[in-house]
Amino acid sequence: MEKKNLKFYIIKLLDILYKIYKLFYFKNKIINLRREILNYNYKYHVLNNSNILDYQYDKLIFKLKKLENLYPYLKNKYSSTKLVGARYKSLTFLKKIYHKIPMLSLNNVFNEQDLFKKFLFPINKIIKKLNFCCELKFDGIAINLLYKNGILISAATRGDGIIGENIIKNILKIKSIPHTLKGKNFPKNLEVRGEIFITKKNFKKLNQQRFDKYKLFSNTRNTAYGILKMNKNVDKKIFNLLNFYSYGIGFIDQIKFSNQQEILLKLEYFGIPISKYTRIYSSYYKIINFYKYFKKNRNLLPYNIDGIVIKINDVKKQNILGYTNHAPKWAMAYKFPSQEKLTLLKKIIFQIGRTGVITPIAYFNTVNINGVNINFATLYNINEIIRLNLKIGDHIIIQRCGDVIPKITNVVINKKFLKRKTNILIPTLCPSCNSILKKTTNNILYCKSGLFCKDQLKAYLKHFVSRDAFNIYYLGEKLINKLVDKNLVKNTVDLLNLNNHILSKIDNLGNKFINKILQSLKNKKTITFNKFLFSLGIPEMGTISCYYISLFFKTLENFLNTNLIELCSIKNIGKKTSLSIFNFISKKDNINIIKNLLKKIKIIYPIKISKKNYFYQKKITITGKFMFITRYNLVKKLKILGAVIHTQISKKTDLLILGTNPSSKLLKANKLNIKIINENKVFSLFQKYK
Ligand code: IVH
């Protein structure tokens, strides 16, 4: 009897093992079939070059369908049986895409002294033993490729770092970017970050083809960008001119990496192209040599690089150093000096920015650097004029910093150039509103008149209508200047209230154009919370900090009721920004403007709060300690549900949440007859509104 039993179990076990084997066998078969079909789809739909007969293709689909029906749990929404052909076509070109993790930039240095002062020494103070991953800095366009279960499903430009534009249609035509990952065990989501660029040879070839027919591309980066954005009626061959290298990842599920090198190797394993010139060094001397080597030999590379990137290799150490809103603190771009040109300084204009800061702008005789004509450069502040001992008529050296921003690096002292020079007069009065200018301790000039100063108002209105804020079409710089000069617009609300009558007071504005403006204003009914925050023009608040702030506060009401302590506690928001926000929301004028804006526009919040939930719009105060939740998380949860948190009890308080060891808030709440609930009750309410 026992023997019979044993035999029975062995047979059963073998049967199970066989089923598991079969499952894995068919899972692999399904995956391979899907990839094969995707490849044919790509050739057919993107390259217009099918290399399979219709009946053979149908046979593959039939085979896949049959297997998927046998193992329905292996079906997913990326299966070719569902996506055939239409997959990429359905994706709208240039549609906005949220990066799963913001795409940051890099801090730059241009000389060895700054590299040590701003990067290596400060880091060495915090962490002693370090390995550095030294990479080339490719001069192209940053791109974010999203692979879902190993299949490329979207490709976005960097955009404002949070939202980019979907350019998958063109990306799919670039040969070096794989449509499916190689190998196995792909993460569910993988954001591959890298640079699209054009080789020097292809750049030359393209411009030769364009000669006489189209405008020539001025440099390799602009060319890569131009090609990526091309839409319709383009010869697909043009995309073969582009190349791609990955330098890292954004979001990733499942896989944890211990260092940058491991990340790059994994990407290579997945079939993603990476540079062969990456090196790991622990000595400063070797880093400098790596830089010097490529500075000297960059001409031998087939593509343009504008420097090297030095990254802390160890991921844990990277996390200790963290990020600013703009760049990681664990990486630094050490850029090559760019081409220099000699020219003559003609005049300095003192420009007033939207926050009142005065920036001297130097205008000079036009020079051409790397194919781009330049005739002005910003001097940042008056310190720069003093540092350079600058005079009108000086012979100056212009350099394009990082090959982009023009900069005056030097004044040439030469007997030949000594004649006819005029001192630069630093203004004491605002060139726009004539008010007395103030100076900060570090010599930054600013006008304190705020939006009463016309130039400040103009600059702010330009910011307000810009793409990352209200994004209103047809309200360009010239029109805004005229509206302000004629006193037709005194603030942002006036701008949103523009009508036919007001616009017809501007010379040379046709009816057709007026209608376009009015239509675009009419269409502007909603704005996302982060863009609304950005539109307020709060000093120090860039698009990325607005994004974090919007996620933290969830509603405008929470934001306006915050305090300095809370602001300082927000991850990724520094003290300077917190202070600036606090100053802004403490001013009555600003709150009035916000109130008036809200009459015209509706804010869209990241998460919809159900108005039916118990905490919605309740004014809540918290006291004591909690067993199962930190106070930070409790506040966060309550805010998500739309509660308004007050630090002190008052007559207006709706609810006190009571922990252990409460403060005098409990006594006060009792006195004022305010409802009190404990942690258990809070949790049962959270559960209800989950
Ligand atoms: S790392 C969070 N590595 O340079 C770190 N960037 O000036 C993100 N770039 O937007 C960048 N080569 O598009 C990194 N080896 C490299 C790079 C690189 C080129 C670009 C990248 C970035 C820009 C910043």
Side-chain angles (χ1 to χ4, degrees):
M1 179 72 187
E2 276 211 337
K3 235 183 178 178
K4 202 179 159 195
N5 245 347
L6 190 68
K7 208 172 152 192
F8 171 79
Y9 283 120
I10 289 174
I11 291 172
K12 195 103 188 134
L13 186 70
L14 283 173
D15 186 47
I16 291 171
L17 284 174
Y18 178 66
K19 276 188 181 145
I20 293 175
Y21 164 79
K22 241 172 72 180
L23 181 68
F24 275 103
Y25 174 78
F26 284 115
K27 188 180 171 188
N28 257 338
K29 236 183 147 136
I30 287 177
I31 289 172
N32 288 338
L33 260 172
R34 278 181 194 156
R35 287 159 157 250
E36 199 181 341
I37 292 168
L38 272 175
N39 236 334
Y40 287 126
N41 286 351
Y42 165 70
K43 284 190 178 133
Y44 181 82
H45 291 284
V46 183
L47 302 179
N48 269 347
N49 177 20
S50 174
N51 53 352
I52 184 170
L53 294 172
D54 279 357
Y55 88 90
Q56 287 171 319
Y57 179 86
D58 290 343
K59 238 167 122 180
L60 286 178
I61 294 284
F62 180 74
K63 216 162 138 188
L64 178 61
K65 267 188 186 160
K66 209 170 139 190
L67 283 175
E68 283 186 344
N69 286 340
L70 265 175
Y71 298 96
Y73 37 90
L74 292 179
K75 269 188 194 173
N76 67 28
K77 60 179 174 177
Y78 304 105
S79 167
S80 317
T81 48
K82 291 192 182 160
L83 299 167
V84 181
R87 210 170 95 78
Y88 295 125
K89 282 194 164 177
S90 63
L91 288 166
T92 326
F93 190 68
L94 298 184
K95 205 179 148 196
K96 302 274 176 283
I97 285 193
Y98 268 89
H99 306 304
K100 284 183 179 287
I101 287 181
M103 281 180 89
L104 298 186
S105 188
L106 285 168
N107 287 320
N108 297 321
V109 286
F110 290 89
N111 55 55
E112 206 174 306
Q113 196 188 354
D114 278 353
L115 176 71
F116 279 98
K117 205 171 106 192
K118 296 185 179 166
F119 186 60
L120 298 175
F121 287 160
I123 285 180
N124 191 246
K125 270 190 196 159
I126 305 170
I127 307 165
K128 286 288 170 246
K129 272 198 165 167
L130 281 172
N131 279 328
F132 295 93
C133 182
C134 294
E135 300 171 13
L136 300 186
K137 188 170 185 308
F138 312 104
D139 194 13
I141 303 298
I143 200 90
N144 187 21
L145 307 171
L146 177 63
Y147 287 87
K148 251 189 191 320
N149 299 314
I151 297 167
L152 178 61
I153 67 146
S154 76
T157 56
R158 181 173 180 272
D160 63 4
I162 296 157
I163 305 173
E165 284 173 328
N166 193 355
I167 49 165
I168 182 83
K169 269 197 178 171
N170 289 347
I171 289 293
L172 286 166
K173 297 169 201 160
I174 300 173
K175 278 193 182 140
S176 50
I177 298 183
H179 300 169
T180 49
L181 297 180
K182 275 200 334 205
K184 37 188 177 172
N185 299 335
F186 319 122
K188 200 168 162 219
N189 288 285
L190 168 66
E191 280 186 327
V192 174
R193 304 269 164 97
E195 201 86 348
I196 303 269
F197 57 89
I198 184 164
T199 58
K200 295 174 197 168
K201 203 169 130 198
N202 284 343
F203 170 67
K204 220 168 153 187
K205 193 166 119 189
L206 184 65
N207 264 351
Q208 274 162 2
Q209 285 166 6
R210 289 171 75 88
F211 194 72
D212 268 357
K213 282 186 237 148
Y214 308 97
K215 213 176 142 215
L216 296 186
F217 283 119
S218 62
N219 59 42
T220 49
R221 183 191 292 146
N222 288 353
T223 316
Y225 188 69
I227 297 178
L228 281 179
K229 291 278 201 123
M230 281 181 180
N231 199 0
K232 289 175 193 163
N233 306 330
V234 200
D235 184 355
K236 275 168 196 157
K237 275 192 213 138
I238 198 164
F239 298 99
N240 292 341
L241 300 176
L242 297 178
N243 277 52
F244 172 73
Y245 276 136
S246 171
Y247 48 69
I249 55 170
F251 183 83
I252 186 164
D253 284 304
Q254 297 136 352
I255 309 176
K256 290 259 174 293
F257 293 105
S258 54
N259 59 53
Q260 166 73 3
Q261 193 185 22
E262 210 178 282
I263 294 175
L264 294 175
L265 289 176
K266 191 68 167 189
L267 287 170
E268 191 179 32
Y269 164 79
F270 283 149
I272 306 280
I274 57 162
S275 161
K276 60 179 178 196
Y277 295 113
T278 300
R279 296 287 179 274
I280 306 294
Y281 295 127
S282 56
S283 97
Y284 294 161
Y285 171 76
K286 288 202 169 145
I287 297 174
I288 302 298
N289 267 354
F290 181 83
Y291 172 82
K292 282 185 181 159
Y293 178 82
F294 283 102
K295 186 177 156 204
K296 193 171 160 210
N297 294 308
R298 66 165 151 156
N299 293 339
L300 304 176
L301 288 171
Y303 42 79
N304 274 334
I305 56 169
D306 56 346
I308 65 162
V309 184
I310 307 160
K311 299 174 181 171
I312 304 283
N313 196 33
D314 190 309
V315 171
K316 271 191 198 142
K317 292 178 183 165
Q318 288 179 359
N319 289 335
I320 294 174
L321 293 163
Y323 299 81
T324 67
N325 279 333
H326 140 93
K329 291 183 189 165
W330 46 264
M332 182 61 86
Y334 183 8
K335 292 210 179 170
F336 300 137
S338 57
Q339 212 184 318
E340 296 175 337
K341 283 274 164 85
L342 180 75
T343 185
L344 189 96
L345 180 65
K346 291 202 297 196
K347 61 178 176 186
I348 301 275
I349 301 261
F350 289 87
Q351 196 179 66
I352 304 143
R354 69 180 160 87
T355 54
V357 172
I358 312 265
T359 311
I361 312 282
Y363 284 82
F364 40 80
N365 285 343
T366 305
V367 283
N368 186 293
I369 302 182
N370 297 346
V372 181
N373 287 334
I374 304 162
N375 69 350
F376 70 92
T378 163
L379 285 162
Y380 306 106
N381 54 48
I382 51 177
N383 288 337
E384 198 65 2
I385 298 179
I386 299 165
R387 184 181 74 83
L388 292 162
N389 189 18
L390 212 56
K391 293 192 170 60
I392 308 294
D394 266 343
H395 279 79
I396 50 177
I397 304 275
I398 308 294
Q399 201 180 62
R400 279 184 78 199
C401 257
D403 289 339
V404 185
I405 303 157
K407 191 180 170 181
I408 301 180
T409 52
N410 246 318
V411 174
V412 180
I413 314 283
N414 188 322
K415 272 187 199 161
K416 251 184 8 194
F417 302 146
L418 280 178
K419 292 176 232 152
R420 293 200 333 265
K421 287 187 179 176
T422 339
N423 281 338
I424 294 164
L425 289 178
I426 308 290
T428 48
L429 299 179
C430 171
S432 171
C433 69
N434 265 335
S435 64
I436 296 172
L437 292 179
K438 301 265 171 200
K439 212 188 262 177
T440 62
T441 43
N442 46 357
N443 244 352
I444 292 170
L445 276 181
Y446 66 99
C447 162
K448 270 202 82 177
S449 310
L451 299 186
F452 295 109
C453 167
K454 279 193 174 171
D455 277 10
Q456 263 184 79
L457 176 61
K458 285 174 190 170
Y460 172 52
L461 293 178
K462 277 171 224 159
H463 168 85
F464 183 79
V465 299
S466 68
R467 209 180 70 159
D468 294 330
F470 265 67
N471 193 17
I472 301 173
Y473 303 134
Y474 306 111
L475 279 174
E477 180 167 347
K478 279 187 190 155
L479 180 56
I480 287 180
N481 290 350
K482 284 182 189 168
L483 287 165
V484 173
D485 286 337
K486 287 191 172 234
N487 288 327
L488 296 171
V489 167
K490 294 200 176 72
N491 52 45
T492 46
V493 182
D494 289 350
L495 204 67
L496 293 184
N497 281 330
L498 278 176
N499 56 33
N500 209 328
H501 175 67
I502 299 173
L503 284 168
S504 57
K505 290 185 182 170
I506 303 286
D507 300 336
N508 304 325
L509 218 57
N511 270 343
K512 244 186 175 176
F513 193 66
I514 291 183
N515 284 339
K516 277 184 180 172
I517 299 171
L518 295 177
Q519 194 56 45
S520 103
L521 284 168
K522 208 172 148 198
N523 290 344
K524 197 80 229 172
K525 292 194 179 92
T526 58
I527 186 166
T528 55
F529 187 28
N530 57 324
K531 287 199 169 198
F532 183 79
L533 290 173
F534 186 67
S535 78
L536 298 175
I538 302 173
E540 307 295 330
M541 288 256 285
T543 48
I544 307 240
S545 26
C546 287
Y547 174 68
Y548 285 124
I549 295 271
S550 73
L551 289 185
F552 181 86
F553 287 107
K554 302 282 184 291
T555 70
L556 181 66
E557 196 179 354
N558 289 339
F559 172 73
L560 295 178
N561 281 310
T562 185
N563 54 51
L564 204 50
I565 297 169
E566 186 176 45
L567 281 165
C568 287
S569 75
I570 304 173
K571 211 177 145 196
N572 299 316
I573 302 296
K575 274 188 200 133
K576 220 170 154 188
T577 314
S578 301
L579 203 64
S580 172
I581 296 173
F582 188 66
N583 279 338
F584 184 90
I585 58 173
S586 310
K587 287 191 182 130
K588 242 187 171 171
D589 283 351
N590 292 333
I591 303 298
N592 281 339
I593 287 274
I594 291 175
K595 276 185 187 159
N596 285 325
L597 284 176
L598 291 179
K599 286 179 193 162
K600 296 287 302 177
I601 198 112
K602 201 177 146 213
I603 299 179
I604 300 172
Y605 293 107
I607 298 170
K608 265 207 155 185
I609 303 162
S610 155
K611 291 188 180 172
K612 282 181 200 149
N613 91 65
Y614 176 81
F615 299 103
Y616 186 71
Q617 288 198 341
K618 280 214 165 80
K619 295 178 189 74
I620 299 177
T621 301
I622 301 168
T623 182
K625 284 191 173 157
F626 300 91
M627 292 276 281
F628 300 108
I629 192 165
T630 60
R631 182 179 283 229
Y632 178 85
N633 281 337
L634 177 60
V635 169
K636 210 164 124 186
K637 275 202 161 187
L638 290 167
K639 284 190 171 178
I640 290 174
L641 292 168
V644 183
I645 310 297
H646 287 182
T647 44
Q648 294 305 325
I649 294 273
S650 74
K651 269 188 246 165
K652 287 183 187 165
T653 312
D654 294 311
L655 186 70
L656 176 73
I657 297 184
L658 182 66
T660 52
N661 286 335
S663 69
S664 58
K665 287 179 200 168
L666 176 62
L667 278 176
K668 208 167 171 189
N670 273 327
K671 252 190 201 167
L672 294 171
N673 236 346
I674 284 161
K675 185 164 182 180
I676 301 170
I677 59 170
N678 63 16
E679 194 177 4
N680 281 347
K681 181 74 187 167
V682 173
F683 269 89
S684 67
L685 287 164
F686 278 163
Q687 219 43 39
K688 206 169 157 188
Y689 301 112
K690 211 170 176 180

